[in-house]
Amino acid sequence: MVKELNYEEARLICKNDSLNCESSADLNPLKQIIGQDRAVKALQFGLNIKDNGFNVYVSGMPGTGKKTAIMNFLNEQAKIMPTPPDWCYVNNFKDNNKPNALKLPAGKGREFKNEMDKFIEEVKKALTKSFESEDYIQRRQETIKKFEEEKNELWEKLNKRANSAGFILQRSPVGIAIVPVINGEPISDEQFASLPPKIRDQIREKREKIQEDFRTAFRQFRDLDKNVEEAIKEFNKNVATYAMDHILTNLIENYGKYDEVKEFLGEVKKDILENLNLILSSEKPQQQTVPFLMPGLREDPTEKYKINLIIDNTDVKGAPVVMELAPSHPHLFGIIQKEARFGALLTNFLMITAGSAHKANGGFLIIPVEDLLMDPLAWDSLKKTIINKKISTEDLAQRLGYIATKTLTPEAIPFDAKVILVGSPDIYYALYQLDRDFKEIFKIKADFDTTMEKNNENVKNYASFICTLCNKEKLKHLDTSGIASIIEYSSRLAEDQEKLSTWFANVADIIREANYYAKEDNAEFISEKHIEQALEEKIYRSNLIEEKLNEMIEKNIILVDTSGEKVGQINGLSVLGVGDFIFGKPSRITISIGLGKKGIIDIEREAQMGGPIHTKGVHILIGFLNDRYAKEFPLSLTARLVFEQSYSGIEGDSASSTELYAILSALSSKPIKQNLAVTGSVNQKGEVQAIGGVNQKIEGFYQLCKTRGLDGTQGVVIPKSNVKNLMLKKEVVNAIKDGKFHIYPVSTIDEGIEALTGVSAGTIDETGVYGTGSINQLVQDKLNEMADKVKDWTE
């Protein structure tokens, strides 16, 4: 007969004295990722290799602490790396729509920006002072006077010649007029028109002759006017150069070693000299013609000399580590802002803002891939950034063709950062299969496991994790009983006595809830009772549906027996999941047997309520029956299998052994004990295989039996290979210890049917016959009988 499980095997207890501390306060905080050796090794390789495309995809289930662990890991790595440079955008004096990017050593960008702001103010003051000085006015007048004397001398010569020809020269806004003189007096146009035609013709002839002679002289007048302007302009440049050279020299001395900056400063000087009048006029107060609109709209001509410092690494120590939790295109790659003026949207290089890719340049950029893929433009731009090694800030509206107006096209900034995507395995496989670029730019996969080995080192590290959490969030520390309870809870989450769970989010939540109850108790430490209370309350908040189902079973609305014996009827165990809560639910499974050749009919499948894995399990049952009982004659039966009172879908093969027990009971006419429930899958050779959710299934049937009253005979039959997965509630363990509840681990169908019926399964002898009265012999005889009847009926 099957050996009953000992209560000590139902839950692996973590002994308090194995922790070597009085509380988690005595431990050292955790400084490294625990239980993820494979992922850590992949991360180290991916971060250290410098070749193209070796970015990292961190794969793992949500709640395993991937993001926090990666941030901590990268922060340590970043400390030993050099600090990346600052980046600025400055005006492109050759094309204002294509701002230039300047690179400066870390900290120099802020200094340069402040120096340029100071330079602009000082230059404006210096220019204003110089051009308003008495010396400037006097020297300017001297320059003008020199040319005026030349013009007067030329004018006198021309006037004398005109007088000798009977004309005088008069200046007017439209030029120089040649006016006839009669009797020593110039005449008007009306007087000229009243002259006799002969005299008018003579005057016209003389004027034409003199005009030919004066054309060269008039050109000299224009040249002199132009020379005056050029001389004044050159004089102004010399004055301005003298006024600002000492200010500019300081900048060149500090930043001239950076070629791009030196070139920019040269362009600034050139532009100032070319726009002196505009700069000087902007410093003069002007009367506002439209007071309620104009203030603030007057443009500052010196604004284009300012620095847009988009990346300031002054306060950064080592390489930057940036996690972008909202990875939209503007958040990742920056945006070109605009402002409205009289209905028009205006922008300039000072409105360019940086994104996370700029901030992480030279370091590490961490992006949750699920959120990234919500913005297709962001994903496409990220790939281009990695492939081209350049960060481009674009106007999305123009890129999509929504706006055709002219906008900025900032110079792309070289990109040199490791990109780490964090997401689930499903997304990794989908991208690997469907995106041809993905496998070329994310060549490293770091897999975060959901479990880790339960050894002394990892238990110690787990306790250190608890210490870290309590210190970080200022929670009460756990005493040894509390730490031991968390270790046991972790093994239950892992569904393995030899493992610990890496679902640190769930573990941390329990500690936070237990901290609340410890505060209510005014306890110094979080202890075992607070952990148990937190677990019980968490279940209570979510188990309404479980209680409703148990109530329906208790009232016999849903029929499940926990006593007596029935032929072809068995208690199966399944798991239901409702959001954050899963629980075990006992179900009645029945089988009806009749003559025929249809084999086993799965009613769930016929009703389209059974999933493909459940259907596979049913077909395996046919394979088992054929392999064991139909080697000399065809299997001749029609059996209908059903989960009674099941109104939702059935999926999984964990009830296949249960269904097989019911079939063997029906064929052998031997009743199954209804005080037992069963779970486990089976293969065609009759070996019982492990299933999931074994703890919840056992506890579900235990709760039903407890409600009806434990009589000392009730229990469950489980696969022997699931024993190491048992981390049952202490209440169930105590019931097993007291002999009120039982667990029977089985390896084969023969062992299971013996436990369920109390009848020997029987072994086959040398003649191919099973022992008399055994289950297998009775089934064989029944199938032989049914085959004969089917044969006779057919004939």
PDB file of all heavy atoms in Angstrom, residues 16 48 88 102 112 140 169 177 205 207 313 429 433 466 470 608 658 664 711 723:
ATOM      1  N   ASN A  16      14.968  29.211  13.286  1.00  0.00           N
ATOM      2  CA  ASN A  16      15.423  30.549  13.679  1.00  0.00           C
ATOM      3  C   ASN A  16      16.919  30.608  13.960  1.00  0.00           C
ATOM      4  O   ASN A  16      17.600  31.582  13.626  1.00  0.00           O
ATOM      5  CB  ASN A  16      14.661  31.021  14.921  1.00  0.00           C
ATOM      6  CG  ASN A  16      13.176  31.188  14.637  1.00  0.00           C
ATOM      7  OD1 ASN A  16      12.733  31.023  13.500  1.00  0.00           O
ATOM      8  ND2 ASN A  16      12.403  31.508  15.662  1.00  0.00           N
ATOM      9  N   ASN A  48      30.383  45.563 -20.697  1.00  0.00           N
ATOM     10  CA  ASN A  48      31.825  45.731 -20.909  1.00  0.00           C
ATOM     11  C   ASN A  48      32.238  45.657 -22.375  1.00  0.00           C
ATOM     12  O   ASN A  48      33.225  46.251 -22.770  1.00  0.00           O
ATOM     13  CB  ASN A  48      32.601  44.681 -20.108  1.00  0.00           C
ATOM     14  CG  ASN A  48      32.512  44.936 -18.609  1.00  0.00           C
ATOM     15  OD1 ASN A  48      32.427  46.072 -18.177  1.00  0.00           O
ATOM     16  ND2 ASN A  48      32.503  43.868 -17.820  1.00  0.00           N
ATOM     17  N   CYS A  88      25.757  71.606 -25.742  1.00  0.00           N
ATOM     18  CA  CYS A  88      25.031  72.868 -25.895  1.00  0.00           C
ATOM     19  C   CYS A  88      24.550  72.989 -27.339  1.00  0.00           C
ATOM     20  O   CYS A  88      25.164  72.450 -28.257  1.00  0.00           O
ATOM     21  CB  CYS A  88      25.922  74.073 -25.599  1.00  0.00           C
ATOM     22  SG  CYS A  88      26.934  73.925 -24.128  1.00  0.00           S
ATOM     23  N   LEU A 102      27.561  71.974 -29.616  1.00  0.00           N
ATOM     24  CA  LEU A 102      28.910  72.142 -29.086  1.00  0.00           C
ATOM     25  C   LEU A 102      29.138  71.149 -27.961  1.00  0.00           C
ATOM     26  O   LEU A 102      28.277  70.959 -27.106  1.00  0.00           O
ATOM     27  CB  LEU A 102      29.114  73.561 -28.542  1.00  0.00           C
ATOM     28  CG  LEU A 102      29.047  74.733 -29.525  1.00  0.00           C
ATOM     29  CD1 LEU A 102      29.411  76.018 -28.801  1.00  0.00           C
ATOM     30  CD2 LEU A 102      29.990  74.514 -30.697  1.00  0.00           C
ATOM     31  N   PHE A 112      30.526  78.015 -19.444  1.00  0.00           N
ATOM     32  CA  PHE A 112      30.504  78.734 -20.729  1.00  0.00           C
ATOM     33  C   PHE A 112      29.187  79.484 -20.907  1.00  0.00           C
ATOM     34  O   PHE A 112      29.171  80.626 -21.380  1.00  0.00           O
ATOM     35  CB  PHE A 112      30.715  77.743 -21.871  1.00  0.00           C
ATOM     36  CG  PHE A 112      30.798  78.379 -23.225  1.00  0.00           C
ATOM     37  CD1 PHE A 112      31.685  79.414 -23.476  1.00  0.00           C
ATOM     38  CD2 PHE A 112      29.982  77.946 -24.263  1.00  0.00           C
ATOM     39  CE1 PHE A 112      31.764  80.011 -24.726  1.00  0.00           C
ATOM     40  CE2 PHE A 112      30.054  78.529 -25.514  1.00  0.00           C
ATOM     41  CZ  PHE A 112      30.945  79.565 -25.750  1.00  0.00           C
ATOM     42  N   ARG A 140      33.766 110.890 -35.112  1.00  0.00           N
ATOM     43  CA  ARG A 140      32.819 110.571 -36.195  1.00  0.00           C
ATOM     44  C   ARG A 140      32.570 111.822 -37.041  1.00  0.00           C
ATOM     45  O   ARG A 140      32.533 111.751 -38.282  1.00  0.00           O
ATOM     46  CB  ARG A 140      31.507 110.058 -35.604  1.00  0.00           C
ATOM     47  CG  ARG A 140      30.489 109.593 -36.640  1.00  0.00           C
ATOM     48  CD  ARG A 140      29.255 109.021 -35.951  1.00  0.00           C
ATOM     49  NE  ARG A 140      28.333 108.468 -36.906  1.00  0.00           N
ATOM     50  CZ  ARG A 140      27.409 109.149 -37.586  1.00  0.00           C
ATOM     51  NH1 ARG A 140      27.324 110.480 -37.398  1.00  0.00           N
ATOM     52  NH2 ARG A 140      26.601 108.558 -38.440  1.00  0.00           N
ATOM     53  N   LEU A 169      23.254 124.909 -60.046  1.00  0.00           N
ATOM     54  CA  LEU A 169      22.943 123.565 -59.545  1.00  0.00           C
ATOM     55  C   LEU A 169      22.169 123.673 -58.234  1.00  0.00           C
ATOM     56  O   LEU A 169      22.534 124.467 -57.348  1.00  0.00           O
ATOM     57  CB  LEU A 169      24.238 122.762 -59.305  1.00  0.00           C
ATOM     58  CG  LEU A 169      25.113 122.536 -60.536  1.00  0.00           C
ATOM     59  CD1 LEU A 169      26.368 121.756 -60.142  1.00  0.00           C
ATOM     60  CD2 LEU A 169      24.342 121.791 -61.625  1.00  0.00           C
ATOM     61  N   ALA A 177      19.544 119.063 -59.497  1.00  0.00           N
ATOM     62  CA  ALA A 177      18.821 119.648 -60.641  1.00  0.00           C
ATOM     63  C   ALA A 177      19.656 120.776 -61.282  1.00  0.00           C
ATOM     64  O   ALA A 177      20.318 121.545 -60.573  1.00  0.00           O
ATOM     65  CB  ALA A 177      17.481 120.210 -60.172  1.00  0.00           C
ATOM     66  N   GLU A 205      19.290 122.537 -75.354  1.00  0.00           N
ATOM     67  CA  GLU A 205      20.503 122.063 -76.015  1.00  0.00           C
ATOM     68  C   GLU A 205      21.713 122.251 -75.112  1.00  0.00           C
ATOM     69  O   GLU A 205      22.565 121.366 -74.978  1.00  0.00           O
ATOM     70  CB  GLU A 205      20.683 122.832 -77.324  1.00  0.00           C
ATOM     71  CG  GLU A 205      21.858 122.318 -78.146  1.00  0.00           C
ATOM     72  CD  GLU A 205      21.969 123.058 -79.494  1.00  0.00           C
ATOM     73  OE1 GLU A 205      21.013 123.787 -79.842  1.00  0.00           O
ATOM     74  OE2 GLU A 205      23.005 122.893 -80.152  1.00  0.00           O
ATOM     75  N   ARG A 207      21.596 122.428 -71.805  1.00  0.00           N
ATOM     76  CA  ARG A 207      21.459 121.530 -70.652  1.00  0.00           C
ATOM     77  C   ARG A 207      21.944 120.128 -71.006  1.00  0.00           C
ATOM     78  O   ARG A 207      22.609 119.464 -70.203  1.00  0.00           O
ATOM     79  CB  ARG A 207      20.012 121.514 -70.190  1.00  0.00           C
ATOM     80  CG  ARG A 207      19.770 120.580 -68.982  1.00  0.00           C
ATOM     81  CD  ARG A 207      18.302 120.514 -68.631  1.00  0.00           C
ATOM     82  NE  ARG A 207      17.862 121.766 -68.012  1.00  0.00           N
ATOM     83  CZ  ARG A 207      16.592 122.044 -67.770  1.00  0.00           C
ATOM     84  NH1 ARG A 207      15.631 121.206 -68.138  1.00  0.00           N
ATOM     85  NH2 ARG A 207      16.252 123.177 -67.189  1.00  0.00           N
ATOM     86  N   ASN A 313      26.449  68.113 -17.041  1.00  0.00           N
ATOM     87  CA  ASN A 313      26.956  67.023 -16.201  1.00  0.00           C
ATOM     88  C   ASN A 313      27.859  67.526 -15.077  1.00  0.00           C
ATOM     89  O   ASN A 313      28.696  66.790 -14.565  1.00  0.00           O
ATOM     90  CB  ASN A 313      27.724  66.007 -17.070  1.00  0.00           C
ATOM     91  CG  ASN A 313      26.788  65.185 -17.926  1.00  0.00           C
ATOM     92  OD1 ASN A 313      25.709  64.790 -17.492  1.00  0.00           O
ATOM     93  ND2 ASN A 313      27.176  64.929 -19.169  1.00  0.00           N
ATOM     94  N   TYR A 429      10.688  37.414 -27.403  1.00  0.00           N
ATOM     95  CA  TYR A 429      10.552  36.445 -28.495  1.00  0.00           C
ATOM     96  C   TYR A 429       9.795  37.052 -29.677  1.00  0.00           C
ATOM     97  O   TYR A 429      10.124  36.785 -30.840  1.00  0.00           O
ATOM     98  CB  TYR A 429       9.846  35.189 -27.996  1.00  0.00           C
ATOM     99  CG  TYR A 429      10.618  34.467 -26.917  1.00  0.00           C
ATOM    100  CD1 TYR A 429      10.014  34.093 -25.718  1.00  0.00           C
ATOM    101  CD2 TYR A 429      11.974  34.187 -27.073  1.00  0.00           C
ATOM    102  CE1 TYR A 429      10.732  33.446 -24.721  1.00  0.00           C
ATOM    103  CE2 TYR A 429      12.698  33.544 -26.082  1.00  0.00           C
ATOM    104  CZ  TYR A 429      12.077  33.178 -24.909  1.00  0.00           C
ATOM    105  OH  TYR A 429      12.786  32.544 -23.920  1.00  0.00           O
ATOM    106  N   GLN A 433      11.449  37.592 -33.438  1.00  0.00           N
ATOM    107  CA  GLN A 433      10.893  36.956 -34.625  1.00  0.00           C
ATOM    108  C   GLN A 433      10.396  37.966 -35.657  1.00  0.00           C
ATOM    109  O   GLN A 433      10.524  37.749 -36.856  1.00  0.00           O
ATOM    110  CB  GLN A 433       9.719  36.042 -34.224  1.00  0.00           C
ATOM    111  CG  GLN A 433      10.130  34.830 -33.409  1.00  0.00           C
ATOM    112  CD  GLN A 433      10.963  33.835 -34.214  1.00  0.00           C
ATOM    113  OE1 GLN A 433      10.819  33.723 -35.423  1.00  0.00           O
ATOM    114  NE2 GLN A 433      11.844  33.121 -33.528  1.00  0.00           N
ATOM    115  N   ILE A 466      15.971  41.826   3.225  1.00  0.00           N
ATOM    116  CA  ILE A 466      14.984  42.318   4.186  1.00  0.00           C
ATOM    117  C   ILE A 466      15.538  43.513   4.944  1.00  0.00           C
ATOM    118  O   ILE A 466      14.847  44.522   5.150  1.00  0.00           O
ATOM    119  CB  ILE A 466      14.578  41.186   5.155  1.00  0.00           C
ATOM    120  CG1 ILE A 466      13.870  40.063   4.384  1.00  0.00           C
ATOM    121  CG2 ILE A 466      13.695  41.711   6.277  1.00  0.00           C
ATOM    122  CD1 ILE A 466      13.618  38.808   5.207  1.00  0.00           C
ATOM    123  N   CYS A 470      13.988  47.358   4.906  1.00  0.00           N
ATOM    124  CA  CYS A 470      13.594  48.039   6.150  1.00  0.00           C
ATOM    125  C   CYS A 470      14.349  49.358   6.316  1.00  0.00           C
ATOM    126  O   CYS A 470      13.766  50.371   6.735  1.00  0.00           O
ATOM    127  CB  CYS A 470      13.849  47.128   7.348  1.00  0.00           C
ATOM    128  SG  CYS A 470      12.806  45.643   7.372  1.00  0.00           S
ATOM    129  N   GLN A 608     -17.323  22.440 -26.272  1.00  0.00           N
ATOM    130  CA  GLN A 608     -16.370  23.516 -26.563  1.00  0.00           C
ATOM    131  C   GLN A 608     -16.007  24.308 -25.307  1.00  0.00           C
ATOM    132  O   GLN A 608     -15.815  25.516 -25.332  1.00  0.00           O
ATOM    133  CB  GLN A 608     -16.929  24.460 -27.630  1.00  0.00           C
ATOM    134  CG  GLN A 608     -17.148  23.773 -28.972  1.00  0.00           C
ATOM    135  CD  GLN A 608     -17.630  24.731 -30.045  1.00  0.00           C
ATOM    136  OE1 GLN A 608     -17.993  25.858 -29.769  1.00  0.00           O
ATOM    137  NE2 GLN A 608     -17.616  24.271 -31.284  1.00  0.00           N
ATOM    138  N   THR A 658      -6.821  11.622 -12.357  1.00  0.00           N
ATOM    139  CA  THR A 658      -8.105  11.549 -11.660  1.00  0.00           C
ATOM    140  C   THR A 658      -9.160  10.935 -12.563  1.00  0.00           C
ATOM    141  O   THR A 658      -9.945  10.056 -12.142  1.00  0.00           O
ATOM    142  CB  THR A 658      -8.537  12.970 -11.233  1.00  0.00           C
ATOM    143  OG1 THR A 658      -7.445  13.636 -10.628  1.00  0.00           O
ATOM    144  CG2 THR A 658      -9.700  12.916 -10.266  1.00  0.00           C
ATOM    145  N   LEU A 664     -11.177   3.415 -14.356  1.00  0.00           N
ATOM    146  CA  LEU A 664     -10.833   2.097 -13.812  1.00  0.00           C
ATOM    147  C   LEU A 664     -11.866   1.650 -12.787  1.00  0.00           C
ATOM    148  O   LEU A 664     -12.207   0.458 -12.700  1.00  0.00           O
ATOM    149  CB  LEU A 664      -9.436   2.140 -13.179  1.00  0.00           C
ATOM    150  CG  LEU A 664      -8.270   2.432 -14.130  1.00  0.00           C
ATOM    151  CD1 LEU A 664      -6.960   2.476 -13.360  1.00  0.00           C
ATOM    152  CD2 LEU A 664      -8.199   1.390 -15.245  1.00  0.00           C
ATOM    153  N   ASP A 711     -12.782  13.926  10.009  1.00  0.00           N
ATOM    154  CA  ASP A 711     -13.068  12.655  10.680  1.00  0.00           C
ATOM    155  C   ASP A 711     -11.848  11.736  10.774  1.00  0.00           C
ATOM    156  O   ASP A 711     -11.960  10.586  11.210  1.00  0.00           O
ATOM    157  CB  ASP A 711     -14.216  11.917   9.979  1.00  0.00           C
ATOM    158  CG  ASP A 711     -13.915  11.613   8.518  1.00  0.00           C
ATOM    159  OD1 ASP A 711     -12.731  11.733   8.113  1.00  0.00           O
ATOM    160  OD2 ASP A 711     -14.846  11.261   7.771  1.00  0.00           O
ATOM    161  N   VAL A 723       6.092  16.241  -4.000  1.00  0.00           N
ATOM    162  CA  VAL A 723       6.335  16.359  -2.560  1.00  0.00           C
ATOM    163  C   VAL A 723       7.270  17.525  -2.257  1.00  0.00           C
ATOM    164  O   VAL A 723       7.076  18.276  -1.294  1.00  0.00           O
ATOM    165  CB  VAL A 723       6.904  15.030  -1.996  1.00  0.00           C
ATOM    166  CG1 VAL A 723       7.372  15.217  -0.553  1.00  0.00           C
ATOM    167  CG2 VAL A 723       5.858  13.936  -2.073  1.00  0.00           C
TER     168      VAL A 723
END
